[in-house]
């Protein structure tokens, strides 16, 4: 009989540990950093889209009050490009030539005593250009395709043949548009040199990449660069690459021998921190009359900058989405004179799933089969490529439980068949999946003589809540009350962590935190192994329960000792352990997993025995369409999510809500518009419209499924699951409501009103 008094916090809905700091305005974002002697940099950006810089007239700016330096390509030293990271190459370093490759390219920088002086002086700089004709369309004969080494074409079976002989075919083209990450926190960099050592406060999702990039740029030792970002202020992927302005802030500080702050303006955010590049996607599906998929072809073309390389995952999810014997995918990027694209929530998957899940919906109408039934019929019960069983897969539960919660059975299958007052009502749904992704991650954990625990890793928290869930996880693994646990991140001096991105951080960091905490408990167990003064002398990990800041013999509650008492007796201030997470499918160094204060043996199925599954979701959407105005309102969303083990249902639910909001924006509102010379017309949040509170109504999130078997933690990534498939679910609902199939995002009013199909055009109650 054993007694534990520690209540496990993992799995319970908890408020954010940093919530109070944020609400009080006490959280320090990079933009808030103030240093003695701080100077300010302001950027001058190209007003042309392609060409060469002719002359930069900087005299007036140099004479302007407070100006310390004007920097442009002619007085900039050679700066090396940052190293390639596991998520791809960095953009080219700034100010290295007179070439202008896109509108909004940084062409000069003013450093001054105040931000106002810097901006005023920047406005005095006159730049002349030799203009070239920009490349702005996929069919421009001057452009060149880039075939991507990271996303190879896939072929399984013989898709063209299977298509030719299929009972039913759907063959359509879908387009998605340029979208811009629009975090409320403007990206900022504060750089300060001390000799050859550089400290940078930077809005980034990846401190170690910023460290390595700046070290390369300035030819210094990465160990001499420290990147700090305890709070990010939103990023959604915009902070995954090391952008030219980051290097420019460090350059400005080097030139002026002053700490320098550089804050992008809202307009500059649209051209300086990447965007979701537009796509054209051809989707072809073949199926038997009874709804068995026989072929999938997915060909995508997307834009990329004139001198850039970017991982592109548009077709990546398609081969293993359904149990289909014949699949072919191809993804091509076409160089364009556009601001350098980057990553935006579920990069590639959000776009690819729009095409695939729209096409599946079209197939359901062509076959006269309910869209859920069609998906269930083609569910991949095993990994389609390898034939291996999944490490976990609750997609069927997502369909079933989501449909129940949504009330799908009330749906009349015919398009234009449901109304609410004058509004056309549509129900649509889509499948979503993410690949399993867990990059390597290190963490370090200490228990101190005062009984507190301090765990840290050089990761970031862009908002989803690593601060909170890692604090919870450490508290449970160590048996230290959560109030006595501190979790630190956002510092490249901490152990190396991957980016917060690709929905991979909870798994990566969580497994590192879990392993390091188990290792730390093990170190205490070892310390008391022959300690005659300890009531837990000779204990073993298998036989203990951690609780109340110490270790208890599970079967003998009277035998208990706190970590603090052990440290004190041994004359130690703290015990500290560093560890690295084991890759999925490999047994971690800990070999025991912490659950409910106990430690139980753990065996992972090897990667050769199971296919490591990512997260799954089914999204259900009700839209109301005004037949007179063509406006689409997402009245409610139900998302059923298989996220494996959910560490904190509250923050997890918030992540899904955020993804749904971005999905609504992607589906209905967001579009970066350029004029025919390639200049951006949408450079504020008045013109680039994101989903606001009024656009996001009822949202219901349910979590289904079991802990994944491939890692000790059992989590799956969820950060990008909600936007994946969301645009398709909305488009499918719009079709169901109106009979208008919009295959081009965003689903704007004119596209909804543009229905001229006599088979589905309304004859009554509206112009639609
Ligand atoms: Mo997300 S685009 O991986 O931050």
């Amino acid at each position: 009989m054993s007694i534990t008094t520690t209540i496990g916090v993992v799995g319970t809905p908890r408020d954010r540990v940093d919530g109070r700091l944020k609400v009080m305005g006490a959280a320090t974002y990079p933009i808030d950093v103030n240093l003695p002697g701080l100077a300010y940099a302001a950027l001058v950006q190209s007003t042309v889209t392609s060409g060469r810089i002719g002359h930069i007239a900087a005299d007036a700016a140099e004479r302007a009050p407070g100006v310390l330096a004007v920097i442009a390509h002619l007085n900039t030293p050679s700066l090396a490009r940052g190293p390639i990271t596991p998520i791809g190459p960095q953009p080219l370093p700034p100010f290295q030539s007179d070439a202008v490759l896109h509108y909004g390219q940084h062409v000069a920088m003013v450093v001054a005593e105040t931000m106002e002086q810097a901006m005023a002086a920047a406005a005095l700089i006159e730049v002349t250009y030799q203009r070239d004709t920009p490349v702005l369309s996929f069919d421009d004969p001057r452009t060149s395709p880039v075939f991507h080494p990271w996303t190879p074409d896939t072929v399984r079976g013989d898709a063209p043949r299977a298509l030719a002989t299929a009972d039913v075919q759907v063959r359509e083209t879908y387009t998605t548009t340029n979208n811009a990450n629009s975090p409320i926190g403007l990206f900022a960099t504060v750089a300060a040199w001390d000799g050859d050592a550089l400290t940078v406060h930077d809005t980034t999702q990846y401190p170690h990449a910023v460290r390595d990039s700046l070290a390369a740029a300035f030819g210094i030792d990465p160990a001499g660069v420290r990147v700090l970002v305890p709070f990010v202020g939103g990023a959604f992927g915009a902070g995954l690459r090391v952008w030219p302005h980051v290097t420019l802030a460090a350059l400005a500080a080097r030139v002026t021998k002053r700490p320098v702050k550089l804050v992008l303006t809202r307009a500059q955010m649209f051209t300086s921190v990447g965007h979701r590049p537009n796509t054209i996607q051809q989707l072809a599906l073949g199926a038997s009359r009874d709804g068995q998929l026989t072929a999938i072809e997915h060909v995508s073309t997307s834009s990329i900058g004139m001198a850039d390389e970017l991982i592109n995952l548009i077709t990546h999810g398609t081969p293993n989405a359904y149990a289909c014997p014949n699949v072919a995918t191809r993804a091509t990027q076409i160089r364009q004179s556009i601001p350098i694209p980057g990553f935006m929530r579920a990069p590639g998957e959000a776009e690819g799933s729009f095409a695939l899940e729209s096409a599946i919906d079209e197939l359901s109408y062509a076959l006269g089969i309910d869209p859920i039934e069609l998906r269930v019929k083609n569910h991949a019960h095993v990994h389609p490529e390898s034939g291996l069983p999944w490490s976990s897969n609750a997609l069927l539960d997502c369909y079933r439980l989501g449909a129940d919660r949504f009330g799908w059975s009330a749906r009349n299958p015919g398009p234009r068949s449901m109304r609410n007052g004058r509004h056309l009502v549509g129900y649509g749904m889509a499948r979503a999946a993410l690949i399993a992704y867990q990059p390597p991650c290190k963490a370090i954990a200490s228990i101190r003589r005062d009984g507190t625990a301090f765990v840290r890793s050089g990761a970031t928290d862009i908002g989803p809540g690593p601060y909170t869930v890692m604090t919870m996880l450490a508290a449970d693994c160590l048996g230290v009350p959560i109030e006595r646990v501190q979790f630190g991140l956002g510092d490249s001096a901490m152990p190396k962590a991957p980016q917060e991105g690709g929905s991979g951080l909870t798994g990566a960091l969580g497994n590192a935190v879990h392993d390091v905490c188990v290792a730390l408990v093990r170190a205490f167990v070892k310390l008391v192994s022959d300690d005659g003064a300890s009531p837990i002398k000779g204990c073993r990990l298998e036989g203990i329960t951690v609780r109340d800041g110490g270790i208890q013999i599970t079967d003998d509650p009277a035998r208990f000792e706190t970590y603090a008492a052990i440290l004190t007796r041994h004359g130690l201030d703290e015990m500290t352990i560093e560890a690295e997470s084991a890759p999925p499918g490999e047994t971690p160094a800990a070999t025991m997993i912490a659950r409910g204060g106990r430690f139980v043996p753990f065996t992972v199925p090897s990667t050769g025995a199971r296919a490591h599954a990512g997260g799954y979701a089914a999204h259900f959407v009700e839209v109301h369409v005004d037949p007179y105005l063509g406006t689409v309102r997402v009245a409610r969303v139900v998302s059923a999510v298989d996220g494996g083990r959910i560490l904190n249902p509250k923050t997890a639910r918030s992540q899904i809500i955020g993804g749904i909001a971005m999905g609504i924006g992607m589906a209905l509102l967001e579009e970066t518009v350029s004029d025919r010379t390639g200049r951006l017309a949408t450079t504020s949040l008045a013109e680039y419209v994101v989903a606001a509170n009024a656009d996001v109504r009822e949202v219901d999130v349910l979590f289904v499924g079991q802990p994944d078997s491939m890692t000790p933690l059992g989590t799956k990534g969820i950060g990008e699951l909600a936007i994946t498939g969301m645009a398709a679910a909305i488009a499918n609902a719009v079709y169901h409501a109106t009979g208008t199939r919009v295959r081009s995002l965003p689903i704007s009013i004119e596209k909804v009103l543009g229905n001229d199909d006599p088979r589905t055009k309304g004859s009554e109650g509206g112009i639609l």
Side-chain angles (χ1 to χ4, degrees), residues 205 236-237 240 343-347 462 500-503 720:
Q205 297 169 244
F236 315 111
L240 290 173
F343 301 112
M344 183 165 172
R345 205 164 191 172
I462 61 175
E500 181 170 34
S503 301
E720 296 168 306

Side-chain angles (χ1 to χ4, degrees), residues 634-653:
V634 175
R636 72 196 170 93
V637 178
V638 172
S639 285
V641 175
D642 168 14
R645 184 164 174 236
I646 299 295
L647 301 178
N648 182 344
K650 185 171 185 177
T651 49
R653 180 172 175 275

Side-chain angles (χ1 to χ4, degrees), residues 265-306:
T265 64
R266 179 56 65 184
Q268 289 169 348
M269 289 288 289
F270 286 90
T271 53
S272 311
V273 294
H275 64 274
R276 183 195 298 290
N278 62 327
T279 72
I280 297 180
Q281 300 175 62
Q282 275 106 26
L283 229 305
L285 301 178
S288 62
R289 183 64 56 196
D290 67 352
Q292 210 67 55
L293 277 170
T294 54
I296 304 175
E297 253 181 23
H298 188 176
V299 176
S300 118
T301 308
S302 61
S303 53
I304 187 171
M306 291 308 272

